[in-house]
């Protein structure tokens, strides 16, 4: 049985192409496709159509998030407790206690993100704090800066850590000075002992994670995601999720070749290339790393960090190794996506792509640089010349871009001006695909509208882009980044019916207030998958 056609009538239409909005629009959806688009009165609505009144609202293509850690976001939401922003040890204990009421006995609870520097207690939470709240479940908590764990007695028992256990090489087990009992604080290599006994995430949990993550992103108007670094297990889980009907959005799944070349061997053995799959699940690009993060001072720059003059960052793999992996992936017919944040790392990423193209020219490669946060004018021109797609996360600008924020601290006041130069990139007709990095960077909740807000209100005025441009970066350009711009990413006849309706008319809202527009409805493949209560 066929669903009734849908007609969305009266909304202000930002169609994803960057064109000015159509103020009073009608969109007709039949089955999975958009069949007609135009002004009210100019479009014939099928007589049996379900009419959705969008008067006073905005209609956009479903968001395409080009950089997610989607399974991880869902799994973390289900099995962990978020400790960012907690202000005391008792608040941590309360959060652990209430989270455990939702989990079966014996399940491991992990928590992440505390920062004790602002607490009145100048110490870490210990097993003495955690035990009364967690008598039956192992609990493992980590601070936002990593490097240590606070665990409860159940976890210590499972890891067989007793007062007789010696400190492992490179690690330290904190002990009570009188009884010599472990306090529950494990530092550096001592945390490995817990990692060894903690069960890996099961496929069932991953499947539940995909379902949870679908709920989260659909409620924020997102209809497609790019999953950034996928293991064979992840890819297998995606296929199962598709078969079971759990995958409610479209996924472009990127095999990772971060630590080894094993994935490249596998792709070569199988003969599978980028774009293999269907409209809901495809094999994407090979993900490779060249540097780290600015937060950890490991993104690689030509000059030292302003707030840590002893370092210019750390390469994750050598530039030679990067060249080798990029060339190999390129020769296998894969798109590559290189994580590169600092200007030096971006240079090496461009060198590797250039070298691969010189050896084996390919017209429409669409090789990507992920993050691409600090870049010079010369690099912008090289990106244009090499036709590289940049995959950027405007929510980083929202979080770290203010004067006095993390970018300025790390980069100093001059180099700071080079961060995320959206306008300059668009002026050179470079494709920017927007994403969130959700799953890895959870202090801010998932919300593409936050990214849109940050891009149109960039703290550096010359880097701001228009609302139409920002929406295009979060829709049609994301489709381009996965070779799918002919089938999705804009509201045009013949495209897949992935459509989001926002509560306000964005044409009438000032740039500072675009976040007032909330998601009211999300349509995927012609079906209403989410609507606001
Ligand atoms: Zn990421």
């Amino acid at each position: 049985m066929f669903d009734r056609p849908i007609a969305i009538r009266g909304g202000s239409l930002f169609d994803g192409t960057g064109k000015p909005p159509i103020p009073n629009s009608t969109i007709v959806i039949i089955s999975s496709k958009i069949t007609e688009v135009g002004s009210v009165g100019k479009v014939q609505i099928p007589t049996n159509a379900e009419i959705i009144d969008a008067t006073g609202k905005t209609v956009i293509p479903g968001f395409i998030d080009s950089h997610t850690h989607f399974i991880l976001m869902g799994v973390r939401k289900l099995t962990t407790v978020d400790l960012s922003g907690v202000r005391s040890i008792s608040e941590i204990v309360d959060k652990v206690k209430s989270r455990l009421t939702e989990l079966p006995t014996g399940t491991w609870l992990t928590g992440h993100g505390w920062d004790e520097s602002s607490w009145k207690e100048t110490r870490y939470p210990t097993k003495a704090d955690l035990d009364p709240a967690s008598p039956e479940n192992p609990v493992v908590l980590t601070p936002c800066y990593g490097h240590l764990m606070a665990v409860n007695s159940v976890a210590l028992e499972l890891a067989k850590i007793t007062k007789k256990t010696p400190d492992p090489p490179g690690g330290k087990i904190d002990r009570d000075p009188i009884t010599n009992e472990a306090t529950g604080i494990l530092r550096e290599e001592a945390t490995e002992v817990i990692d060894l006994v903690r069960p890996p995430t099961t496929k069932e949990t991953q499947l539940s994670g995909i379902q949870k993550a679908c709920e989260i992103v659909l409620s924020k108007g997102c209809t497609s995601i790019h999953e950034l670094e996928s293991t064979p297990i992840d890819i297998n889980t995606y296929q199962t999720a598709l078969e079971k009907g759990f995958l409610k959005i479209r996924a472009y799944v990127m095999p990772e070749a971060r630590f080894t070349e094993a994935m490249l061997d596998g792709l070569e053995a199988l003969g599978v290339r980028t774009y293999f799959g269907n409209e809901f699940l495809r094999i994407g690009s090979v993900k490779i790393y060249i540097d780290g993060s600015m937060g950890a001072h490991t993104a690689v720059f030509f000059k030292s960090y302003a707030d840590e003059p002893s370092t210019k960052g750390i390469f994750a793999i050598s530039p030679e190794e990067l060249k080798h992996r990029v060339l190999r992936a390129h020769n296998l017919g894969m798109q590559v996506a290189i994580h590169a944040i600092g200007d030096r790392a971006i240079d090496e990423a461009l060198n590797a792509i250039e070298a691969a193209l010189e050896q084996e020219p390919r017209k429409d490669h669409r090789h990507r640089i992920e993050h691409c946060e600090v870049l010079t004018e010369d690099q912008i021109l090289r990106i244009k010349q090499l036709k590289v797609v940049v995959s950027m996360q405007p929510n980083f600008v929202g979080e770290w871009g203010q004067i006095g924020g993390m970018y300025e601290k790390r980069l100093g006041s001059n180099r700071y001006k080079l961060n995320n130069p959206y306008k300059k990139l668009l002026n050179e007709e470079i494709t920017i695909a927007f994403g969130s990095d959700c799953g890895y960077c959870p202090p801010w909740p998932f919300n593409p509208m936050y990214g849109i807000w940050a891009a149109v209100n960039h703290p550096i005025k010359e880097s701001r882009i228009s609302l139409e441009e920002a929406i295009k970066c979060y829709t049609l350009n994301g489709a381009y980044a996965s070779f799918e711009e002919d089938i999705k990413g804009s509201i045009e006849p013949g495209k897949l019916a992935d459509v989001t309706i926002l509560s306000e008319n964005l044409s009438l809202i000032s740039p500072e207030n675009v976040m007032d527009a909330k998601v009211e409805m999300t349509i995927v493949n012609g079906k209403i998958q989410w609507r606001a209560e």
Side-chain angles (χ1 to χ4, degrees), residues 67-69 228-229 287 289 339 371 393 396 437-438 440:
H67 191 119
T68 72
H69 301 272
L228 254 288
E229 45 195 70
K287 171 78 184 295
Y289 275 65
H339 167 121
H371 308 307
Q393 296 72 41
F396 292 177
D437 210 8
C438 69
Y440 258 178

Side-chain angles (χ1 to χ4, degrees), residues 74-262:
V75 168
R76 283 199 162 158
K77 194 83 189 167
L78 289 175
T79 62
T80 74
V81 55
D82 177 16
L83 302 178
S84 54
V86 298
R87 301 189 158 271
S88 65
I89 289 175
S90 62
E91 204 182 321
I92 287 192
V93 173
D94 289 346
K95 284 206 162 203
V96 166
K97 198 172 178 178
S98 85
R99 194 71 176 90
L100 281 174
T101 60
E102 301 157 0
L103 296 181
T105 302
T107 309
W108 286 71
L109 175 65
T110 53
H112 178 72
W114 94 65
D115 178 3
E116 81 286 347
S117 64
S118 60
W119 301 350
K120 53 182 188 305
E121 304 118 321
T122 48
R123 64 176 183 87
Y124 309 122
T126 65
K127 70 173 185 186
D129 302 305
L130 300 171
D131 283 353
S134 55
E136 292 173 310
N137 295 67
V139 174
V140 182
L141 311 178
T142 49
C144 61
Y145 46 82
H147 298 282
L148 64 86
M149 277 178 181
V151 305
N152 68 351
S153 290
V154 182
L156 287 171
E157 276 162 35
L158 289 167
K160 299 196 170 61
I161 295 175
T162 67
K163 55 171 129 178
K164 290 182 189 143
T165 310
D167 287 345
K172 183 168 176 286
I173 300 167
D174 282 17
R175 296 165 203 276
D176 181 289
I178 299 160
T179 64
N180 209 38
E181 294 267 2
T183 64
I185 298 298
L186 308 172
R187 297 171 194 261
E188 301 293 347
E189 296 306 305
T191 61
E192 292 276 308
V193 185
I194 294 290
D195 287 335
L196 285 174
V197 292
R198 189 159 40 169
T201 307
T202 62
K203 185 165 173 171
E204 281 63 40
T205 306
Q206 281 203 326
L207 281 170
S208 308
I210 286 182
Q211 287 174 283
K212 188 73 202 170
C214 284
E215 270 172 40
I216 295 170
V217 306
L218 284 167
S219 76
K220 298 296 176 187
C222 175
T223 56
S224 290
I225 60 102
H226 298 185
E227 170 78 272
L228 254 288
E229 45 195 70
S230 300
T231 63
I233 297 169
D234 299 337
I235 296 169
N236 186 287
T237 303
Y238 266 106
Q239 187 169 355
T240 307
L242 181 70
E243 286 158 7
K244 287 182 178 285
F246 294 168
L247 191 63
K248 306 283 187 201
I249 48 95
R250 306 181 196 276
Y252 188 66
V253 175
M254 303 195 185
E256 67 87 20
R258 177 179 183 178
F259 300 109
T260 71
E261 284 184 56

